[in-house]
Amino acid sequence: MINEHGILVHSYGPHIFHTRRQKVVDFLSRFTAWRSYEHRVMALIEGRLAPVPFNLTSLEICLPDKALKLAKLLTDTFGKDTSIPILSLRQHDNIALRELGNFVYSRIFLGYTQKQWGLSPEEISPAVTARVPFRISHDDRYFTDFFQAMPKAGYTSMFESMLSHPEITVMLDTAFTDIAGGHASLPCIHTGAIDEYFDFSLDSLPYRSARFEFQHLRQQRHLPVAVVNEPDSDIPHTRVCEYRLLTGQDAPETTVGIEFPCAHLPGKTQQSYPVRTEASVARYKEYKKMARTRTPQTIFCGRLGSFCYYNMDDAVLAGMGAAKAILRFLPPRNRPPDLG
Ligand SMILES: Cc1cc2nc3c(=O)[nH]c(=O)nc-3n(C[C@H](O)[C@H](O)[C@H](O)COP(=O)(O)OP(=O)(O)OC[C@H]3O[C@@H](n4cnc5c(N)ncnc54)[C@H](O)[C@@H]3O)c2cc1C
């Protein structure tokens, strides 16, 4: 969306397109040209800005006195240009590596995760750091996918182009219950929340939400990179994004968006991130069972229909899969040749 100052911003938080799936790139490229963009993120750690994921540059910035020795120890132990989970450091026999792992855990991961998920430190399992990487290199790109880019004229323009087809009707601000009395008797792909679809009859599924505050600044540039994370648990926001650095828009002033994670209140806030626990996934599976028996012609799709965090490329792939799956409900003569 273009805001009142003429700056292209993302109303629902910063979205960077990245994928390893050529098929998804090929599909979306029918509707947009791309601006090549490699995402970089820094975190404010004890008053200093350092790249995340934590890498050898971050080490030099945060622990300048020990950086040389630690870099050698890391390279000797794990190899050069590798990426290891910080859990491997935290559980290592070598005390210096353990301390380093704990430093990264407490300064970068813990506070951010607490705020993101609304958890106390005790509720965060150390095992989740199995996925948090420590890069033994100076590669400061946030993503390593071969395709990283932004739609040249923005996401709205990409979707406008995708939807401008004589067979497509768009009805905004219309709940599925407003159409044909709700539960479809025709084959249908549903991208809304599965618990809401069934009137929360098995109780609601848990989500985290986020609120965005936008500030317009009368200066050309505000941040060193497009996104700066704020891991300090005493500060309520998690990150700040300067949109012009994502979109490449040339303008004399700039707008930043500040992200405040918050609890999701059904009907009041948007579901941003599914909270997948053993209990919530079990409840989701019960809803899936209900869907199979009660509405077999409805395909639940996307992050809300599948109760799973999706990146945009996952969502596109799931959409392509659902488009194929819905064809089994159509007579063969009505199936488009390239999909059937
Ligand atoms: C803050 C934030 C930042 C993100 N950043 C990135 C990023 O940088 N890169 C990336 O790849 N991904 C990112 N994502 C993930 C990305 O937003 C999702 O991949 C994408 O939105 C999933 O698309 P979807 O179609 O599955 O779901 P949605 O985008 O949620 O679409 C669901 C659609 O269903 C409609 N709907 C819901 N309920 C009903 C109803 N009852 N009746 C009618 N319609 C209904 C909604 O209006 C919506 O249009 C981010 C997500 C968040 C929350």
Side-chain angles (χ1 to χ4, degrees), residues 150-320:
M150 303 295 289
K152 208 164 199 164
Y155 290 99
T156 305
S157 163
M158 178 175 83
F159 281 108
E160 277 169 357
S161 159
M162 193 183 290
L163 296 171
S164 77
H165 185 285
E167 298 283 346
I168 297 177
T169 306
V170 178
M171 295 164 73
L172 296 177
D173 298 321
T174 311
F176 75 91
T177 41
D178 298 341
I179 305 168
H183 295 210
S185 51
L186 293 172
C188 158
I189 296 170
H190 186 79
T191 58
I194 195 165
D195 54 346
E196 187 188 325
Y197 186 89
F198 290 110
D199 279 332
F200 306 102
S201 54
L202 304 174
D203 209 346
S204 56
L205 293 170
Y207 285 90
R208 274 301 267 178
S209 191
R211 181 172 67 76
F212 296 92
E213 254 177 47
F214 292 89
Q215 282 178 11
H216 187 70
L217 306 172
R218 306 219 172 275
Q219 62 192 83
Q220 228 212 346
R221 184 164 179 165
H222 181 61
L223 300 176
V225 287
V227 170
V228 168
N229 286 357
E230 180 49 87
D232 187 335
S233 57
D234 292 335
I235 291 171
H237 65 266
T238 45
R239 56 180 178 164
V240 181
C241 172
E242 183 169 1
Y243 283 97
R244 281 187 44 242
L245 306 186
L246 287 186
T247 61
Q249 186 184 0
D250 191 15
E253 298 183 349
T254 198
T255 298
V256 295
I258 307 166
E259 180 166 346
F260 296 85
C262 55
H264 168 61
L265 306 170
K268 295 209 166 121
T269 56
Q270 286 240 338
Q271 303 98 326
S272 298
Y273 304 100
V275 181
R276 284 173 70 90
T277 60
E278 229 170 85
S280 67
V281 171
R283 189 176 304 158
Y284 162 71
K285 285 184 180 161
E286 288 303 310
Y287 273 119
K288 277 292 278 185
K289 249 191 239 163
M290 192 178 264
R292 271 194 293 274
T293 47
R294 287 210 209 157
T295 57
Q297 295 200 88
T298 299
I299 297 168
F300 289 87
C301 183
R303 67 193 181 112
L304 302 176
S306 309
F307 190 60
C308 193
Y309 181 79
Y310 274 18
N311 275 318
M312 288 182 282
D313 65 331
D314 300 319
V316 171
L317 197 73
M320 291 165 101

